[in-house]
Amino acid sequence: MLIDGHGRKVDYLRISVTERCNFRCQYCMPEKPFSWVPKENILSFEDLFKFVKASIDEGITKVRLTGGEPLLREDLDHFIKMIYDYNPDIDLALTTNGFLLKNVALRLKEAGLKRINVSLDSLIPDVAAKIAQKDVLKDVLDGIMEAKKVGLKVKLNSVPMKDINDNEILNLLEFANQEGFAIRFIEFMENSHASSSLKGLTSKDIQDIIAQKYNFEKIPRDTSSPAQYFVTENGYEFGIIEPHLDDFCASCNRIRLTAEGFLIPCLYFEDAMSIRDLVRSGDIDGAIEALKKVLANKPEKNKWGTNDNTDSSRAFYETGG
Ligand code: SAM
Ligand code: SF4
């Protein structure tokens, strides 16, 4: 079992398989980075798999593939199948912007993917295009519907921003409810890569908007999820991810690995340790030792909710969110 320096059990590995992306979301990567990580620095799926196997042996039970945009990486379904074949009980999930999903949803499902989270910030084509800086909505919706059709469990992620899509919270909630999807609203996390003009909504703002139309109650917190869930009077459950709240990190159960092989203990801070050379040279015991060291020093909490919150300089497209 993996335990961090604050006594938290860590059983969730998030792997960002690429930092590259086909969107330029204003809250994440509004401009193409000055340079991409050189291809030769990116770990192959074979190398990543060596680490995944060992971390499953150490107690990881949930693996999520993310990015950048993970569907830009060729043969993602092969990587999924490797993990599935090693241990079919692993909770194997993917986070995607959905743009390329339609044509690959079935392959992903057949490879062993169980769940998929798709980012959907707007149901209005022009607003979606303003956020992603590209005309994306139709392809994203086609991808979401195909994922549903092939039997993947779909969850939607939405980042409400003032004067951009805050008037769509109820529409997004109702769309998700109608289609049988879960939805989570994510508080915008300030970071130095995002467009500087953006203002996020707090969890309270989001709840106030939903309360204009629905009565709802808090569901006691499931510590394995970063979201606080609520249930409406008609029985629909929605979540809000509240990184600005003081107790948000108390049940953090995750560790992140980047495409370049950096282990990242917290989304807010710059700390990272490379396991690339260890993995490439086959020293998997060494990589697991490094993992344990990183976990021993995992920060207790982020700084989004504190008075000395300066924007984090960690890029979401690198860490995978
Ligand atoms: N490209 C994929 C996608 O957009 O779903 C996966 C990577 S993306 C970095 C993962 C998640 O991080 C998305 O749900 C996105 O909305 C969220 N995200 C990115 N930047 C964020 C920010 N500044 N604040 C809150 N959530 C953010
Ligand atoms: Fe790309 Fe996802 Fe970041 Fe948008 S949030 S720029 S889709 S990585």
Side-chain angles (χ1 to χ4, degrees):
M1 190 191 294
L2 297 166
I3 306 282
D4 79 3
H6 301 279
R8 295 171 295 199
K9 181 173 156 190
V10 173
D11 55 9
Y12 179 13
L13 173 65
R14 295 177 64 103
I15 307 175
S16 169
V17 295
T18 177
E19 56 162 2
R20 295 176 189 233
C21 192
N22 45 358
F23 285 16
R24 293 287 174 269
C25 298
Q26 293 196 39
Y27 47 69
C28 180
M29 191 202 292
E31 279 160 32
K32 183 172 174 278
F34 183 65
S35 62
W36 297 115
V37 173
K39 286 229 160 73
E40 62 272 19
N41 287 6
I42 304 286
L43 283 172
S44 66
F45 283 144
E46 286 69 27
D47 283 336
L48 284 172
F49 180 56
K50 288 185 219 158
F51 180 73
V52 171
K53 267 198 311 192
S55 56
I56 290 173
D57 294 345
E58 290 291 330
I60 292 293
T61 59
K62 175 171 175 179
V63 176
R64 175 174 298 279
L65 308 180
T66 173
E69 176 44 43
L71 297 183
L72 287 179
R73 190 129 175 209
E74 248 173 75
D75 296 336
L76 191 72
D77 54 323
H78 293 177
F79 185 42
I80 289 169
K81 185 155 169 33
M82 288 177 192
I83 302 171
Y84 179 83
D85 286 347
Y86 185 65
N87 185 336
D89 295 329
I90 292 297
D91 182 5
L92 195 44
L94 174 76
T95 298
T96 170
N97 62 31
F99 192 75
L100 299 172
L101 184 54
K102 185 173 175 200
N103 291 333
V104 294
L106 181 60
R107 256 196 283 150
L108 298 175
K109 166 83 174 136
E110 286 177 348
L113 188 72
K114 295 180 181 155
R115 302 187 298 110
I116 194 156
N117 288 9
V118 187
S119 299
L120 183 72
D121 297 316
S122 173
L123 289 165
I124 303 171
D126 287 351
V127 178
K130 183 176 173 188
I131 296 170
Q133 302 191 75
K134 174 170 171 172
D135 182 14
V136 296
L137 187 62
K138 183 179 178 309
D139 293 273
V140 172
L141 289 176
D142 286 352
I144 290 173
M145 291 310 170
E146 185 66 15
K148 176 179 169 178
K149 192 169 131 198
V150 304
L152 285 165
K153 260 177 103 179
V154 178
K155 203 181 266 181
L156 304 178
N157 284 336
S158 202
V159 181
M161 289 162 288
K162 284 207 170 94
D163 302 327
I164 298 181
N165 61 345
D166 50 350
N167 57 351
E168 287 191 66
I169 288 176
L170 285 167
N171 286 352
L172 285 161
L173 183 94
E174 286 166 358
F175 169 76
N177 187 2
Q178 254 166 31
E179 298 294 340
F181 304 142
I183 189 164
R184 295 173 323 165
F185 298 99
I186 307 176
E187 286 182 338
F188 167 60
M189 287 168 254
E190 297 79 6
N191 68 88
S192 56
H193 303 267
S195 298
S196 56
S197 57
L198 290 186
K199 274 229 145 278
L201 269 69
T202 64
S203 174
K204 163 99 175 41
D205 298 333
I206 297 166
Q207 290 176 56
D208 286 349
I209 290 173
I210 297 173
Q212 289 166 12
K213 187 151 175 192
Y214 297 104
N215 292 319
F216 57 86
E217 279 177 12
K218 228 180 216 189
I219 301 176
R221 186 83 186 254
D222 166 2
T223 51
S224 65
S225 164
Q228 170 64 58
Y229 276 89
F230 301 84
V231 59
T232 66
E233 58 201 322
N234 0 335
Y236 180 64
E237 291 183 12
F238 64 93
I240 305 183
I241 297 187
E242 309 166 308
H244 294 79
L245 284 194
D246 186 49
D247 63 351
F248 177 74
C249 305
S251 56
C252 183
N253 62 346
R254 59 202 57 203
I255 180 76
R256 295 174 169 84
L257 178 65
T258 70
E260 263 192 295
F262 282 105
L263 284 169
I264 296 190
C266 176
L267 203 49
Y268 185 96
F269 295 99
E270 281 296 296
D271 318 15
M273 188 188 279
S274 177
I275 55 165
R276 188 178 66 215
D277 293 344
L278 292 166
V279 169
R280 279 188 173 162
S281 67
D283 183 3
I284 303 304
D285 290 345
I288 292 294
E289 275 315 300
L291 168 65
K292 290 179 177 168
K293 253 189 219 150
V294 169
L295 291 180
N297 295 313
K298 188 168 152 71
E300 186 181 7
K301 42 171 94 166
N302 73 50
K303 284 192 171 185
W304 273 296
T306 64
N307 290 335
D308 58 342
N309 168 18
T310 46
D311 285 1
S312 164
S313 46
R314 266 262 167 251
F316 273 70
Y317 57 84
E318 213 174 48
T319 58

